Amino acid sequence: MKIGLDIMGGDFAPEAVVLGAIESYQFLSPDQKLVLIGNQEIARKIIRDNHFDENCFEYVHTTEVIGMAEHPTKAIAQKPSSSIGIGFQLLKEGKIDSFASAGNTGAMLVGAMFSVKAIPSVIRPAIAGIVPKLKGGCGIILDVGANADCKPDVLVQFGILGSLMAESLYDIDQPKVGLINIGEEKEKGNLLCQATFPLMAENKQFNFVGNIEGRDLFTDQADVFVCDGFTGNVVLKLAENFYDITLKKGMRDEFFDRFNYEQYGGSPILGVNAPVIIGHGISNPEAIKSMVLLSKNTVESGLIEKIKKAFL
């Protein structure tokens, strides 16, 4: 297995990314290799300065970077030699088995769609986020930003994608799928939710449990929470802020500690033909390590092949 890692993406790159790669190395087996994509000279120096063996990694050299504020589509087209551009080229050619970056989120989405492309029959790929549960474990919420506006059939597909992720990566048997809404009754909600509910209820590819309200997000009411990307992004960022608030208030609580993004590392793009992981722009070494391990687990679980089979 070869895990591609963009060492130039993120607010604290390349140092934080390379240090994260070093931290993740001990969790990889001998047949699992990290491929560092970016400025090779800088990467090797950081590794040597931290008294680590630079021969533990493979390197693909480039100095070109897609900035966080650059227009995604233009940057992908105009910078094929960027660390993100090269990463997707290697993924498309099968030279790496997964690709992860804490860089420009839009460029990662566009790059995935232009290179490995969406799985046939998947209307719109989604970004999945993780939310902790009060009684332990976690739930999956999608979409969290790839699709601000959705149609009912797209939300139904998110139910399939989220259910497969819950089964494959988190060993949840027959995950409960809920539709985020403003009430439990099937008649509630905006036009999108009203039209989506009967379609999800009729679908036999996942275990639909009905509408889920915001107050149910951290409970066992559901394992997969489906919504459009606008709603999901607002919910996820609000949830992530809980952890920052507890730190500022001097509070320590095991539940709120699990809101720390470092534990999850990143979010997979579900519905494309290869494992692609998007990390937080503010990722530190611990978050990068988690992102590498998520990449490894995604490949090992065979999630992409399971999604392809589900959409045949």
Side-chain angles (χ1 to χ4, degrees):
M1 180 193 302
K2 290 192 175 183
I3 301 170
L5 180 62
D6 170 21
I7 65 170
M8 309 302 284
D11 295 346
F12 307 113
E15 184 171 17
V17 185
V18 176
L19 292 178
I22 292 172
E23 289 186 18
S24 67
Y25 180 80
Q26 63 180 307
F27 298 99
L28 302 178
S29 61
D31 64 337
Q32 296 170 340
K33 200 79 171 180
L34 258 180
V35 181
L36 307 185
I37 305 166
N39 193 310
Q40 180 177 169
E41 286 77 15
I42 293 177
R44 288 182 179 273
K45 183 179 185 305
I46 294 170
I47 294 168
R48 289 194 302 268
D49 289 347
N50 284 272
H51 312 291
F52 201 77
D53 184 1
E54 57 192 288
N55 295 315
C56 290
F57 306 105
E58 293 184 12
Y59 304 86
V60 177
H61 180 71
T62 183
T63 58
E64 193 168 29
V65 181
I66 293 178
M68 300 296 264
E70 290 191 62
H71 188 281
T73 305
K74 290 181 179 178
I76 286 291
Q78 296 171 1
K79 291 186 173 182
S81 296
S82 65
S83 53
I84 288 180
I86 289 177
F88 277 117
Q89 185 62 34
L90 293 172
L91 189 64
K92 179 181 178 181
E93 295 172 355
K95 294 178 179 177
I96 56 177
D97 298 295
S98 67
F99 179 51
S101 174
N104 188 307
T105 298
M108 288 294 288
L109 280 167
V110 172
M113 294 298 290
F114 282 5
S115 60
V116 294
K117 304 186 185 306
I119 290 170
S121 298
V122 172
I123 304 169
R124 300 293 294 271
I127 301 176
I130 301 298
V131 291
K133 292 187 177 183
L134 276 166
K135 295 182 179 180
C138 64
I140 296 168
I141 178 172
L142 72 167
D143 180 32
V144 295
N147 308 279
D149 296 297
C150 295
K151 293 183 178 181
D153 53 349
V154 173
L155 293 186
V156 173
Q157 290 196 348
F158 290 172
I160 301 171
L161 295 171
S163 183
L164 289 170
M165 178 178 169
E167 290 176 350
S168 301
L169 294 184
Y170 299 100
D171 298 319
I172 301 174
D173 185 40
Q174 292 188 317
K176 295 174 288 187
V177 178
L179 176 65
I180 294 182
N181 207 334
I182 59 172
E184 295 180 359
E185 300 82 2
K186 63 181 181 180
E187 299 85 6
K188 286 289 184 74
N190 56 15
L191 294 176
L192 174 61
C193 290
Q194 291 175 16
T196 301
F197 188 100
L199 298 181
M200 295 186 77
E202 293 168 3
N203 195 286
K204 304 302 181 183
Q205 291 180 274
F206 53 81
N207 177 23
F208 183 56
V209 295
N211 287 327
I212 298 294
E213 297 183 76
R215 63 186 177 186
D216 301 318
L217 191 65
F218 310 114
T219 72
D220 291 326
Q221 289 287 101
D223 302 299
V224 178
F225 303 89
V226 172
C227 59
D228 61 81
F230 184 93
T231 302
N233 192 270
V234 171
V235 169
L236 185 66
K237 288 181 177 176
L238 175 63
E240 288 177 345
N241 194 44
F242 289 162
Y243 177 68
D244 294 330
I245 291 173
T246 60
L247 293 182
K248 291 175 182 177
K249 290 290 187 179
M251 300 165 53
R252 291 311 302 264
D253 180 271
E254 184 275 335
F255 173 65
F256 287 112
D257 284 347
R258 289 194 285 123
F259 281 85
N260 184 356
Y261 77 95
E262 296 173 7
Q263 297 183 30
Y264 309 109
S267 302
I269 302 177
L270 299 179
V272 294
N273 281 293
V276 178
I277 311 296
I278 299 175
H280 288 265
I282 59 172
S283 289
N284 57 18
E286 179 67 20
I288 296 297
K289 179 193 76 174
S290 297
M291 183 167 68
V292 170
L293 298 182
L294 176 59
S295 299
K296 177 180 81 76
N297 293 340
T298 302
V299 175
E300 289 180 332
S301 71
L303 175 59
I304 304 305
E305 292 306 315
K306 292 174 183 177
I307 293 174
K308 289 180 181 178
K309 184 177 180 180
F311 282 88
L312 283 176

